[in-house]
């Protein structure tokens, strides 16, 4: 499953990069400037939430009771799956807000 995810990620990145490279030079520079300016904070927040979910997943795999360690409520704390769902929502909203040229 991880291999399929990596193949999917690489192919999506290649398709996106190829579509940016087909633009004219002026339009490409404007697109990359605006994409970096507007979507860099969203990318950082999304990566932070993904890494938070990965951290919780590692704790779960190692049988670490992080809720007790961080003094959280033992019955009402978020799991790594719920964190990843929040990150997916952020990613979808970010992708949906990209304007077409």
């Amino acid at each position: 499953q991880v291999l399929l995810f990596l193949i999917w990620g690489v192919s999506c990145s290649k398709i996106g990069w190829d579509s940016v490279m087909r633009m004219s030079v002026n339009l490409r520079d404007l697109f990359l400037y605006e994409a970096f300016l507007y979507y860099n904070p969203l990318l950082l927040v999304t990566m932070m939430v993904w890494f938070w979910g990965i951290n919780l997943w590692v704790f779960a795999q190692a049988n670490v009771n992080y809720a007790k360690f961080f003094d959280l409520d033992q019955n009402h704390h978020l799991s790594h799956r719920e964190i990843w769902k929040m990150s997916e929502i952020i990613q979808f909203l970010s992708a949906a807000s990209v304007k077409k040229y």
Side-chain angles (χ1 to χ4, degrees):
Q1 290 179 351
V2 173
L3 180 63
L4 289 175
F5 178 75
L6 290 175
I7 291 171
W8 173 79
V10 168
S11 63
C12 287
S13 298
K14 172 131 178 59
I15 291 169
W17 185 254
D18 289 344
S19 66
V20 168
M21 287 297 126
R22 280 190 223 124
M23 294 179 183
S24 67
V25 175
N26 292 334
L27 186 60
R28 184 183 330 142
D29 289 342
L30 178 66
F31 173 77
L32 293 176
Y33 172 75
E34 286 186 357
F36 180 78
L37 182 67
Y38 299 131
Y39 295 105
N40 191 28
L42 290 173
L43 175 67
L44 292 175
V45 169
T46 304
M47 284 177 49
M48 181 199 67
V49 174
W50 269 109
F51 288 140
W52 179 21
I54 290 171
N55 194 11
L56 294 181
W57 177 77
V58 169
F59 283 157
Q61 295 297 313
N63 293 325
V64 174
N65 188 0
Y66 64 89
K68 185 175 182 181
F69 182 75
F70 293 115
D71 198 28
L72 301 174
D73 185 9
Q74 295 292 319
N75 298 323
H76 300 96
H77 60 273
L78 298 175
S79 71
H80 63 279
R81 293 183 190 275
E82 294 165 331
I83 300 297
W84 285 338
K85 284 180 187 176
M86 287 190 301
S87 181
E88 289 171 359
I89 291 169
I90 294 170
Q91 282 180 316
F92 174 76
L93 293 175
S94 299
S97 69
V98 175
K99 66 179 180 178
K100 289 273 192 177
Y101 286 98

